[in-house]
Amino acid sequence: MRLTAGESVTSGTSRDVLGRGLKVLGRAIREQPRIFAVAVTGSVLFGLMVIASAYVVGAVVGEVVVPALARGSVGVGALALAAAALLGISVLRVVGIFGRRLGAGYMQFRLQAAYRRRVTRRYLDLPLSWHHRNATGTLLSNANSDVEAAWYPIAPLPFAVGTLVMLVGAVVSLFLTDWALALVGLAVFPALFALNVVYSRRMAPRQARAQRLRAEVSGIAHESFDGALVVKTMGREAQETARFASRAGELRDALIAVGRLRGVFDPMLETLPSLGTLAVLVVGAIRLRQGAISVTELVSVAFLFTVLAFPVRAIGWVLAELPRSVAGWDRVRRVLDATGEMPYGDVALDPAEPTPATLAFTDVKFGYEPAEAHLPGTEVLGEVSFTVPPGKTVALVGHTGAGKSTIASLAVRLVDPRAGTVTLDGVDVRDLTPASLASTVALVAQVPFVFDDTVRANITLDRPGIGDDEVWAALRLAEADGFVAALPDGLDTMVGERGTSLSGGQRQRLTLARALAGRPRLLVLDDATSAVDPRVEAAILAGLRAPADGAGAAASILVVAYRRATIALADEVIYLEQGRVVARGTHTELLATVPGYADLVTAYEQAEHDREQTRTYDEVTPLTSGLEVEVDR
């Protein structure tokens, strides 16, 4: 996994982590001002009641307990008044705690949910070239643990703000009580802040490294699970386990380093308020002997220092989490600030248009961005021009790397050309609305993706206007109605993650039916029937050219083809070499006039013949009953 610039910033600038962390918190406050105000109000109420409780306790000791001990009797009225005062303060403290915690939690979870949506929305806006440069595990970490880390300090933030108000009130109260005791407070409070700042700076690089390693561990795990078939068939279980264990061990060591630093600083942060209380008692005893303060004032100040120890820790909690927050925010911001999204236009093709669409490439050039900025890009297409007439089938044929799949991606606007235009019915695809483009053209990729859901849900994708009749019509066109009808629950059968309960050919036909259910006017097939029997493939393509059963008008078809039978069905064949169109015509014409084309098709045919001798197509899946075997025909 690459270490991005955004990930290295935090570890390299630990001195300004406090300022950057405060900016992150400021963003949170600006986005949720009302909820933050509620939480801070509750926290301030709690802080004021802490100060009030200190002086009420002092008054109870100095005005009720000490005189009672001197008289040898306790006044019931005085005790009742003291109890009522303490009870009232306690109730207000509970109200403050409730408002603070409710507001802080609500604010934190709202921010996390909002930024998960923003990150995910950004993923969908960014082009495939950006995704190719970023590991899936990193993207998962950005949307999950990095978002959580960025807003983790929000939980103690209102408490810390209320604590600051409480500290100001406490210092003012100390000066009003006695200047010597106030000097003790002024010595303890700055020491706490200084210790927290040092702690935050030392914690910054450790938290940044731990956050980066979380993403790397997630990436390795995802890669290993996603490639489980390769791992197991190649006997790489031990190596993959060792690779994961090595990076997990680094994460463990990084988290231990974080815990070790906390283990050093936490006791110090806990001890300082206790030392302050001890200093207050010593100085207070001297001032009491001098007659400068009363017992009531001494008890109040000592109790105040005692109850301040816990709230002051809230400031430490915020400062301690700022390095992690900055590390997470840097990684989230890297996604949100990423450039390269493809803006859509406002032109909409007539959705009720019954005729097939016309696709035209005019002098299209395309190249992939380099993985690293200093490396040259990869030129894929150079001045490609061709047209798919309405209702016709055009086949793309060429060696591996000739640019066939790139043309398919350009046709459905997964990527945009560097030069030239791609048009649908004469309209540049960049000027179309997303809805118009999606309803006009559909892509069926070489590698089928099936959701862990029912057959029906995989085909409809919750699109309006697609009922069971439309689903079965699409399945018939895809030659998939037979195996779906044989499944235990028919359309309601769960197909498993990535369709693992289906064979490769069944998955391909299911994804083809998904595309057909939307009745596209242009269908782009990127070797989308490679796993089915050639005879079934021919039946599918013939059905697409003249659909029946109310499945809609025939669509224009752009197909990346390898099999001779598939190519022969095309109205025109585009022969590509190194990203350029070198010949076009019917299959028969190219066989007779283009030696390179003839050699390639012959090689395809021989390879297909060899595969047919060594495998059986579309064997029955575990979901079908008995020992029957289904062969595509």
Side-chain angles (χ1 to χ4, degrees):
M1 178 185 298
R2 304 178 188 89
L3 177 61
T4 67
E7 292 167 355
S8 62
V9 170
T10 304
S11 59
T13 58
S14 60
R15 292 183 179 180
D16 66 344
V17 66
L18 178 61
R20 294 167 61 211
L22 292 178
K23 289 181 180 178
V24 176
L25 297 181
R27 173 183 289 269
I29 295 171
R30 289 193 300 273
E31 292 197 15
Q32 302 289 336
R34 294 182 180 179
I35 300 176
F36 181 72
V38 171
V40 169
T41 299
S43 182
V44 169
L45 176 62
F46 171 81
L48 295 177
M49 290 305 101
V50 167
I51 297 175
S53 65
Y55 283 92
V56 169
V57 168
V60 169
V61 172
E63 306 298 331
V64 178
V65 176
V66 172
L69 291 175
R71 293 194 307 268
S73 62
V74 179
V76 176
L79 279 179
L81 182 61
L86 291 174
L87 180 61
I89 289 175
S90 298
V91 170
L92 291 177
R93 286 179 64 176
V94 168
V95 172
I97 292 173
F98 178 78
R100 181 194 78 218
R101 290 188 175 180
L102 181 63
Y106 197 58
M107 180 179 178
Q108 182 184 36
F109 297 141
R110 278 178 64 95
L111 284 168
Q112 289 176 353
Y115 274 84
R116 283 195 180 98
R117 290 193 295 268
R118 292 184 191 181
V119 169
T120 303
R121 181 69 257 177
R122 194 62 182 155
Y123 286 160
L124 298 176
D125 290 337
L126 290 167
L128 287 179
S129 57
W130 185 88
H131 288 271
H132 292 160
R133 298 193 300 268
N134 293 272
T136 304
T138 301
L139 303 185
L140 291 173
S141 178
N142 291 152
N144 187 26
S145 63
D146 291 334
V147 169
E148 287 187 0
W151 306 120
Y152 199 81
I154 297 302
L157 178 62
F159 196 7
V161 174
T163 298
L164 288 175
V165 174
M166 182 176 62
L167 289 178
V168 172
V171 170
V172 171
S173 300
L174 288 175
F175 272 105
L176 292 177
T177 300
D178 183 66
W179 63 268
L181 296 179
L183 291 179
V184 174
L186 290 179
V188 172
F189 296 149
L192 280 172
F193 281 111
L195 189 60
N196 274 300
V197 169
V198 172
Y199 174 47
S200 177
R201 288 183 176 180
R202 294 198 176 186
M203 182 63 77
R206 292 170 173 81
Q207 288 281 23
R209 182 168 184 267
Q211 200 64 22
R212 175 174 57 84
L213 286 171
R214 283 188 178 95
E216 294 187 9
V217 168
S218 174
I220 293 174
H222 179 273
E223 195 172 56
S224 297
F225 300 153
D226 209 32
L229 179 62
V230 176
V231 172
K232 295 189 73 65
T233 56
M234 294 296 179
R236 303 294 297 175
E237 296 94 333
Q239 289 78 5
E240 283 299 301
T241 300
R243 185 164 75 106
F244 181 82
S246 174
R247 200 52 53 88
E250 291 184 40
L251 176 58
R252 174 204 60 208
D253 294 340
L255 293 175
I256 288 175
V258 170
R260 185 180 295 116
L261 188 64
R262 281 181 173 170
V264 172
F265 276 87
D266 278 357
M268 298 171 65
L269 293 171
E270 292 285 353
T271 301
L272 267 178
S274 300
L275 293 177
T277 302
L278 180 61
V280 163
L281 290 175
V282 173
V283 174
I286 296 173
R287 299 292 288 168
L288 181 63
R289 186 179 300 112
Q290 294 173 349
I293 60 174
S294 64
V295 173
T296 298
E297 291 171 330
L298 176 59
V299 172
S300 296
V301 172
F303 185 79
L304 182 62
F305 267 80
T306 301
V307 296
L308 278 178
F310 175 71
V312 167
R313 290 292 289 121
I315 300 174
W317 294 334
V318 173
L319 294 177
E321 294 299 334
L322 282 185
R324 181 183 174 190
S325 174
V326 171
W329 174 247
D330 283 344
R331 294 168 61 85
V332 170
R333 190 184 60 185
R334 182 180 65 88
V335 176
L336 298 180
D337 293 346
T339 58
E341 71 274 15
M342 299 186 298
Y344 288 88
D346 55 5
V347 178
L349 300 176
D350 185 0
E353 178 63 51
T355 61
T358 300
L359 173 69
F361 276 57
T362 305
D363 298 326
V364 170
K365 294 182 179 180
F366 181 81
Y368 288 105
E369 296 290 339
E372 304 292 344
H374 64 280
L375 298 176
T378 303
E379 192 68 27
V380 179
L381 299 178
E383 297 185 351
V384 170
S385 297
F386 68 89
T387 300
V388 179
K392 301 298 183 180
T393 299
V394 174
L396 298 175
V397 179
H399 291 278
T400 300
K404 304 182 296 297
S405 293
T406 300
I407 290 176
S409 296
L410 286 163
V412 297
R413 213 196 165 205
L414 292 178
V415 293
D416 280 336
R418 288 187 177 178
T421 59
V422 179
T423 62
L424 283 171
D425 290 343
V427 180
D428 194 318
V429 293
R430 289 170 288 200
D431 296 331
L432 294 175
T433 64
S436 183
L437 184 63
S439 63
T440 303
V441 60
L443 169 69
V444 185
Q446 180 179 8
V447 179
F449 182 86
V450 180
F451 295 94
D452 185 10
D453 210 327
T454 64
V455 172
R456 180 188 289 104
N458 267 285
I459 294 177
T460 64
L461 296 182
D462 290 329
R463 289 174 289 181
I466 302 179
D468 283 1
D469 290 341
E470 289 76 15
V471 169
W472 282 112
L475 288 170
R476 281 189 290 272
L477 269 179
E479 295 287 321
D481 55 322
F483 84 81
V484 171
L487 295 175
D489 297 315
L491 294 179
D492 294 316
T493 301
M494 298 293 295
V495 298
E497 185 177 4
R498 293 181 178 268
T500 52
S501 62
L502 303 175
S503 68
Q506 290 171 339
R507 289 196 295 271
Q508 281 195 333
R509 286 179 285 166
L510 197 64
T511 55
L512 177 58
R514 173 196 298 160
L516 294 173
R519 297 188 178 184
R521 297 170 54 221
L522 171 66
L523 189 62
V524 181
L525 306 177
D526 186 3
D527 194 26
T529 53
S530 59
V532 301
D533 187 280
R535 290 164 294 181
V536 175
E537 181 185 41
I540 292 173
L541 292 177
L544 294 178
R545 292 165 63 91
D549 298 332
S556 306
I557 301 174
L558 177 65
V559 55
V560 175
Y562 293 90
R563 293 170 175 165
R564 180 190 290 262
T566 306
I567 299 170
L569 289 172
D571 297 293
E572 183 181 26
V573 178
I574 306 294
Y575 178 50
L576 299 164
E577 285 186 357
Q578 297 181 347
R580 296 181 182 273
V581 177
V582 296
R584 67 181 66 200
T586 66
H587 171 60
T588 303
E589 292 170 349
L590 295 185
L591 276 179
T593 59
V594 183
Y597 174 81
D599 292 342
L600 180 62
V601 172
T602 301
Y604 284 159
E605 191 173 30
Q606 181 61 46
E608 185 63 32
H609 179 268
D610 293 341
R611 283 195 295 269
E612 287 186 23
Q613 301 303 312
T614 58
R615 75 176 186 180
T616 301
Y617 290 91
D618 275 2
E619 291 187 351
V620 72
T621 71
L623 287 176
T624 56
S625 60
L627 300 176
E628 298 174 319
V629 175
E630 176 198 2
V631 179
D632 283 317
R633 56 185 180 272

